[in-house]
Amino acid sequence: AATPAAQPAQATPPATPPSSGTRASIGSSIPTPSQIKLFMSKTGVTVTELASIVLYEDNEVHFIKEPTTAKISRGQIEWALLLALKNGISNNAFSVDPEELRSICQEKGFYDQANFIKNFKPQSTATLFTGAMEKQGAAQKLSNDGLAELGKLIKELSAAAS
C-alpha cells in the first residue's frame, strides 16, 4: 500500500511545473485586480499583450520580454514602468520602489551610479510619477502620464515579441 501512494507523490511534483495546461492559459492566469482593469481600459492594453511580456506563475510576476534599449537612462525608465506593472498585478498599486529599481537596473546592466536618481529628476521623466524618486525613498506611484507611458511600452514590447 505504501508503494502506490509513493509513486503518485513522486510523479506529481515533476509534472506540475512543465504542465502544458499552465502555459496554455498564461493569459487567463494573469491576475487583473481593479487597477489593472482600469489601466487596460484607459490604455487599450489587452490581456494578450500583457501575456506576451509577463508570465504569472506561483503567485509571482516574471518578465518574459524585457527592455532592450541601448540607452541606459531609457532602460532605467522602462524598468521603473515594468516594476510598477509588476506591483499593479501583485498588489493592485502601480508603484515602484527606488531601491528595487536600483537592484534590477544593476542586474540588467542599466545602472549608472552617478546619474541613477538624477535620471528621474528632469521634467520629461519626473512627470511619470506622483512624487520624486529619491535614494532609499518611498515607493512612488505612476502618474497618469506614467500609466500612458507604461501602456505604450507594453504595446512596443508586445509587438517586438510577436
Side-chain angles (χ1 to χ4, degrees):
T3 304
Q7 287 175 342
Q10 290 172 348
T12 303
T16 303
S19 166
S20 60
T22 303
R23 290 206 164 72
S25 62
I26 287 171
S28 62
S29 67
I30 296 173
T32 53
S34 61
Q35 291 301 310
I36 292 288
K37 287 177 183 164
L38 184 62
F39 163 74
M40 292 170 69
S41 167
K42 285 183 174 182
T43 60
V45 168
T46 65
V47 171
T48 303
E49 288 169 326
L50 275 180
S52 72
I53 65 166
V54 172
L55 171 68
Y56 187 78
E57 194 169 69
D58 299 326
N59 295 323
E60 290 186 16
V61 176
H62 304 279
F63 294 103
I64 51 179
K65 187 71 181 155
E66 300 180 349
T68 57
T69 180
K71 205 170 173 194
I72 287 178
S73 59
R74 180 64 193 165
Q76 291 172 359
I77 297 299
E78 290 181 6
W79 272 112
L81 296 170
L82 290 176
L83 286 177
L85 172 64
K86 178 181 178 178
N87 287 324
I89 292 169
S90 301
N91 307 320
N92 201 28
F94 286 94
S95 62
V96 60
D97 178 89
E99 296 310 310
E100 182 183 11
L101 176 59
R102 182 186 310 274
S103 293
I104 193 108
C105 287
Q106 287 171 332
E107 178 186 326
K108 303 294 182 179
F110 288 108
Y111 185 66
D112 172 4
Q113 185 174 0
N115 297 305
F116 180 71
I117 289 297
K118 290 178 192 168
N119 186 37
F120 295 92
K121 304 275 187 217
Q123 189 64 26
S124 60
T125 54
T127 60
L128 300 177
F129 306 94
T130 57
M133 292 287 257
E134 300 290 344
K135 184 176 182 175
Q136 298 180 358
Q140 295 300 322
K141 291 183 178 178
L142 291 186
S143 64
N144 286 335
D145 288 350
L147 291 169
E149 190 68 19
L150 174 59
K152 285 188 225 169
L153 176 62
I154 290 170
K155 289 183 176 293
E156 287 170 18
L157 291 175
S158 175
S162 310

